[in-house]
Amino acid sequence: MEINTSEQLAAVVKNAVQQQKITDMHTHLFSPNFDSLLHRGVDELLTYHYLVAEVMRWSDLPIEIFWQLTKSAQADHIWQKLFIEHSPVSEACRGVLTTLQGFGIDLRSRDLDAFRQIYAQYDAYSQVDKVLELAGVDHVVMTNDPFDEEERGIWLSGTKPDPRFHAALRLDPLLNDYAANKDKLHAWGYQVEDVWGEQTVREISRFLQDWIVRMNPLYMAVSLPPDFAFPEDSDRSRIIEHCILPVSRGKSIPFAMMIGVTRAVNPALRSAGDSLDKASLEPLAYMLRTYPHNKFMTTYLSRENQHELCVLGRKFRNLFVFGCWWFLNSPALIEEVTRMRFELLGLSVTPQHSDARVLDQLIYKWKHSKEIISMILLEKYKDILRTGWVLDCTEIERDVADLLHNNFWRFLDKSDRILS
Ligand code: REL
Ligand code: ZN
């Protein structure tokens, strides 16, 4: 159907974004059969580390005392300080409200215990079904860390994720703290040596390959500090060059780098204590240029790096640009970054991932982001309609499917997942 009026255009764009099933390419969620690793429900929503950081700005409680409280007492405290004593307008607070509303909860009562009871009716499986349906998500990519004892045990016992959940092999301990984790590799039967050499390369590569077989990951991933450099004289650089990149190429599994995080700026806040800084894009440019047959997925944490990343995306097709990560996952910044990407890279990106740590957050992360993506798409389509270009609604549906689903699977060469 050809689009003739701007009202028609607005309705088609809104509907296409609303209806499109999403592949969420980076989350911290787990398949429902991964026991307690999957976090869900009101207390988890309220104790999200974004809100821990925010509550400490109002609370008189020392952080050490806060950590000694039970999870529900922490949630009560956050509710009281951030929702009752002040209006919950921050993005993380608003997210809780959108999520509860989306779950069918009437917020007027402000009665946390009543909200808890509503959630208590669900087990992990029924809640996953309900939330994925409400959020319009059909595939979820997890973050899977073979150095995490609990998670490791689950994989080693042969547990396989629900088919809607896909693994991503996360390698932060290997790449960011190799010296501290070398002994673990040894204990698990990988004969890495103290001095870097052929044997260590072989053994780390074997470790990667074993976990690839076990997890069947869609990509390997790492988060990196702002001063990340490559190549350089460091364990991290050697492991990337001699182990990750050859395995990534050989197995056709892209290497995802999330760059710009400064961990533990305020360690007392634990996971709420991380921050960010600007990074140089030179290491990424070097990799893209030097390894044209390797595939890289990249997002940066600082706003300042976004423009350079778009420009680099124009130079290298082995670079997949994705998401508004963490401190960028905030409406004002999503809007700016998404508009810039569409203008510089067209529709060849995955504009967003949820980074959800709590299952229910899928509802708000996607509702909020989809509103912005819709708005920017509408603006861009209007611009081209004004030139006399004619659009058909199937073209808009195709574009939206690319953005929220197909571009990711296409980059992975998983043609069976691409929706036609
Ligand atoms: O994947 C990561 O490294 C980050 O996204 C997380 O560490 C972070 O805590 C996350 O919750 C951000 O949204
Ligand atoms: Zn993350």
Side-chain angles (χ1 to χ4, degrees):
M1 186 190 72
E2 193 181 296
I3 293 168
N4 295 306
T5 65
S6 53
E7 290 74 32
Q8 224 182 345
L9 177 68
V12 170
V13 171
K14 192 167 171 216
N15 188 54
V17 174
Q18 207 40 50
Q19 297 303 316
Q20 181 56 52
K21 286 287 182 199
I22 295 165
T23 291
D24 193 341
M25 62 167 289
H26 171 58
T27 76
H28 296 265
L29 302 178
F30 288 90
S31 172
N33 56 336
F34 276 42
D35 305 329
S36 58
L37 290 182
L38 174 64
H39 297 164
R40 59 196 177 90
V42 166
D43 287 340
E44 294 290 352
L45 278 174
L46 284 169
T47 54
Y48 187 31
H49 65 76
Y50 292 29
L51 292 170
V52 172
E54 288 175 31
V55 80
M56 281 301 139
R57 299 186 55 77
W58 286 116
S59 176
D60 291 333
L61 266 189
I63 185 76
E64 305 74 39
I65 305 292
F66 175 83
W67 290 127
Q68 282 164 22
L69 301 176
T70 62
K71 184 149 288 213
S72 4
Q74 291 174 359
D76 286 340
H77 186 66
I78 290 177
W79 182 251
Q80 181 60 31
K81 293 286 168 201
L82 293 183
F83 293 77
I84 305 299
E85 292 181 16
H86 309 277
S87 290
V89 302
S90 76
E91 174 61 6
C93 285
R94 173 189 169 219
V96 174
L97 302 181
T98 304
T99 301
L100 296 176
Q101 180 195 40
F103 211 76
I105 288 172
D106 181 354
L107 289 164
R108 267 173 307 185
S109 73
R110 300 189 178 185
D111 180 351
L112 211 47
D113 283 330
F115 304 164
R116 287 181 173 121
Q117 274 163 30
I118 295 172
Y119 271 98
Q121 304 161 28
Y122 295 89
D123 61 18
Y125 295 86
S126 54
Q127 200 168 322
V128 162
D129 290 345
K130 179 162 170 121
V131 171
L132 292 191
E133 178 61 33
L134 288 170
V137 171
D138 62 355
H139 292 281
V140 174
V141 184
M142 306 178 281
T143 294
N144 305 98
D145 178 1
F147 287 84
D148 178 275
E149 278 310 322
E150 192 182 351
E151 175 162 12
R152 188 182 155 73
I154 293 177
W155 288 105
L156 289 177
S157 72
T159 305
K160 296 277 176 248
D162 173 296
R164 292 165 296 183
F165 287 74
H166 306 270
L169 175 53
R170 183 70 178 243
L171 296 168
D172 288 33
L174 181 72
L175 290 173
N176 294 335
D177 213 357
Y178 178 66
N181 286 302
K182 225 174 8 193
D183 289 350
K184 288 192 182 166
L185 289 174
H186 242 282
W188 299 331
Y190 299 96
Q191 306 302 324
V192 291
E193 295 181 315
D194 284 337
V195 179
W196 186 263
E198 274 309 307
Q199 177 163 323
T200 301
V201 170
R202 235 185 355 260
E203 289 299 276
I204 294 180
S205 305
R206 188 164 69 83
F207 168 79
L208 295 173
Q209 275 153 350
D210 287 350
W211 280 96
I212 287 172
V213 169
R214 200 165 282 131
M215 289 178 173
N216 189 24
L218 296 179
Y219 56 82
M220 292 185 272
V222 66
S223 73
L224 294 163
D227 61 359
F228 168 61
F230 184 88
E232 66 169 1
D233 179 13
S234 70
D235 288 328
R236 175 165 56 212
S237 186
R238 282 186 281 272
I239 297 172
I240 292 178
E241 181 180 349
H242 299 293
C243 309
I244 307 260
L245 294 181
V247 170
S248 169
R249 182 174 175 193
K251 299 273 175 198
S252 295
I253 297 179
F255 182 38
M257 290 178 288
M258 306 172 74
I259 305 174
V261 55
T262 317
R263 298 281 178 195
V265 160
N266 182 353
L269 289 182
R270 302 187 185 170
S271 53
D274 299 339
S275 187
L276 84 167
D277 209 340
K278 294 174 285 297
S280 159
L281 270 77
E282 190 38 45
L284 177 62
Y286 174 90
M287 281 184 181
L288 294 164
R289 196 167 53 233
T290 315
Y291 303 95
H293 301 294
N294 271 77
K295 291 185 184 182
F296 299 89
M297 299 173 150
T298 308
T299 199
Y300 281 82
L301 197 48
S302 91
R303 179 188 189 180
E304 289 77 2
N305 282 140
Q306 301 309 316
H307 182 229
E308 295 157 275
L309 179 61
C310 286
V311 174
L312 216 48
R314 298 172 65 87
K315 314 295 155 197
F316 295 101
R317 69 174 176 196
N318 55 337
L319 170 61
F320 189 78
V321 173
F322 75 94
C324 296
W325 182 26
W326 201 344
F327 307 113
L328 287 172
N329 197 342
S330 167
L333 298 169
I334 300 171
E335 187 178 333
E336 174 182 302
V337 171
T338 305
R339 184 174 286 114
M340 178 164 57
R341 286 177 179 166
F342 288 180
E343 289 173 10
L344 283 165
L345 296 169
L347 304 176
S348 68
V349 299
T350 284
Q352 190 55 303
H353 64 265
S354 76
D355 232 315
R357 281 188 174 259
V358 181
L359 171 66
D360 316 81
Q361 290 170 340
L362 289 176
I363 298 173
Y364 97 78
K365 299 258 188 184
W366 282 110
K367 184 166 194 294
H368 294 184
S369 286
K370 286 206 304 196
E371 280 168 7
I372 300 166
I373 294 167
S374 258
M375 178 187 80
I376 298 170
L377 275 177
L378 179 58
E379 176 187 307
K380 297 297 163 203
Y381 287 132
K382 275 188 182 157
D383 288 346
I384 58 172
L385 283 187
R386 274 201 300 272
T387 67
W389 183 258
V390 178
L391 275 167
D392 190 273
C393 72
T394 55
E395 293 173 320
I396 293 180
E397 287 157 8
R398 171 206 60 200
D399 295 346
V400 172
D402 281 348
L403 289 172
L404 298 178
H405 200 285
N406 290 342
N407 285 346
F408 173 67
W409 295 109
R410 206 174 278 127
F411 191 73
L412 295 176
D413 261 331
K414 304 268 185 208
S415 48
D416 51 326
R417 296 276 181 211
I418 298 174
L419 306 168
S420 50

